Amino acid sequence: QVQLVESGGGLVQPGGSLRLSCAASGSLFSLYDMAWYRQAPGKQRELVAAVTSGRTTNYSDSVKGRFTISRDNADKKVYLQMNSLKPEDTAVYYCNAVRVTMKGADYWGQGTQVTVSS
């Protein structure tokens, strides 16, 4: 069992920055691929950024150059640094953990709201 808890969301003006955190429970955190997803009103949930157990990163084209995903295996946390925020970044952001080689190892956090508005 793995539990994920997101934090760091809030209201920010366009052009501003936020740093989201995801704290994971359990052991073997370093073996999981971690990702941030988001879901805006009226839209499907989409992948924002991912970092694998091997620390390879991938980003949605819409956030490349603005967002940075990172992980701290010692503290069992994953972060999303969001800079140059735009109103279209407004969404609920979710943390996800997947261990591809282990059946049923797919976990989600409760989400944290990010609102970008002047």
Side-chain angles (χ1 to χ4, degrees):
Q1 296 182 345
V2 174
Q3 294 186 73
L4 304 172
V5 180
E6 302 97 333
S7 62
L11 176 64
V12 64
Q13 293 184 336
S17 298
L18 280 176
R19 182 179 173 87
L20 305 184
S21 298
C22 173
S25 69
S27 61
L28 304 179
F29 172 80
S30 63
L31 299 182
Y32 284 80
D33 295 340
M34 304 296 299
W36 287 97
Y37 287 76
R38 68 186 181 188
Q39 187 166 25
K43 293 188 175 182
Q44 295 182 334
R45 187 172 297 186
E46 64 171 341
L47 176 66
V48 177
V51 56
T52 68
S53 61
R55 286 179 284 179
T56 299
T57 59
N58 290 285
Y59 298 92
S60 167
D61 287 341
S62 64
V63 307
K64 283 182 179 177
R66 299 188 298 120
F67 291 9
T68 302
I69 189 171
S70 61
R71 65 191 298 162
D72 186 331
N73 288 340
D75 290 341
K76 295 190 289 186
K77 290 183 177 179
V78 61
Y79 304 95
L80 185 67
Q81 178 66 47
M82 305 186 295
N83 299 326
S84 302
L85 283 162
K86 305 174 181 179
E88 50 263 45
D89 295 319
T90 296
V92 177
Y93 284 70
Y94 298 91
C95 183
N96 171 247
V98 175
R99 191 174 173 186
V100 176
T101 59
M102 183 175 174
K103 182 181 179 181
D106 189 352
Y107 305 95
W108 294 86
Q110 82 289 343
T112 185
Q113 176 71 48
V114 172
T115 302
V116 184
S117 179
S118 60

